[in-house]
Amino acid sequence: MPARDIIIDTDPGQDDAVAIMLALGSPDALSVLGITCVAGNVPLPLTSRNARMVCELAGHPEVPVYAGCAAPLARPLVTAEHVHGRTGLDGPDLPEPTMPLQDKDAVSFLIDTLRDRPAGTVTLCPLGPLTNIATALTRAPDIADRIAEIVLMGGAYFEVGNITPAAEFNIYVDPEAAAIVFRSGVPLTVMPLDVTHKALVTAPRNNAFRALGTPVGLATAQMTDFFERFDKAKYGSEGAPLHDPCVIAYLLEPSLFSGRHINVEIETTSELTLGMTVADWWGVTDRAPNATFMGDVDADGFFALLTERLGRL
Ligand code: BDR
Ligand code: CA
């Protein structure tokens, strides 16, 4: 089977970085057409710098990286340096990137690629706030029918919130953008906190990254070492949750995940529950299903896949 064409939309972030490397380590299955950066964990100049540092670390400076939206559609940017550190990629000591940022903006790249490629062949993988994707869908509504699928990290049902008591970070930062994406009619697969909080880098899993004995293995161990502090203190969990790599792992091995095809709406007005993913997990409304909302992951299988693919870089 030919490799599947994907665009990674991202705000690196240590877990975004691992997701990018998982994709770049799987060229037989995934062809990364481009990486589009958005403001999220840290402001846009840092996310677009970090994405290029990760491509260079992975030995893939040829991957085109684009900068997109610097702020959410209707609100000031909320960032997460308290989780990811001042640079967004704290932990390893990586060199400044030398590969260029593309001249074209990320939204134009998304629109042009979806129009130029055969309909139904390009999958979008958003790993941050949905500002770039919603802007592209609003500016060029014709692309909705051309997107093969959107597989995204965002939201929560049983785990409720991480940035507020009710909301997960990616959706909270730009709820208006999320509402546009969830109502777009594009086939959606969602990796919420319910799944990603089970994908924890325990000490043996971190040792397995380090034992790869490569720059990628070492940097991954150092990134997850840094990133775990926040979740260990907050949740008492065993290690850092690898949220965003769940998106790429799903493309590679969907059987690792299970969930339900349900209705998911985004709260955009309430002060208390802004950005909540109101997921009809129990089917108590007659609202039409619009997303496959995942609930579980085979964590050992996920880490075996991830470690093996990182080992190829
Ligand atoms: C999401 O928010 C970011 O901090 C992570 O990179 C992930 O995409 C988890 O809520
Ligand atoms: Ca992210």
Side-chain angles (χ1 to χ4, degrees), residues 9-13 15-16 41 84 126-129 153 169-170 243-244:
D9 187 75
T10 178
D11 63 337
D15 61 320
D16 302 70
N41 287 322
H84 299 276
L127 311 178
M153 191 280 139
F169 179 79
N170 289 342
H243 305 285
D244 295 336

Side-chain angles (χ1 to χ4, degrees), residues 139 192 239 270:
R139 204 179 285 171
S270 159

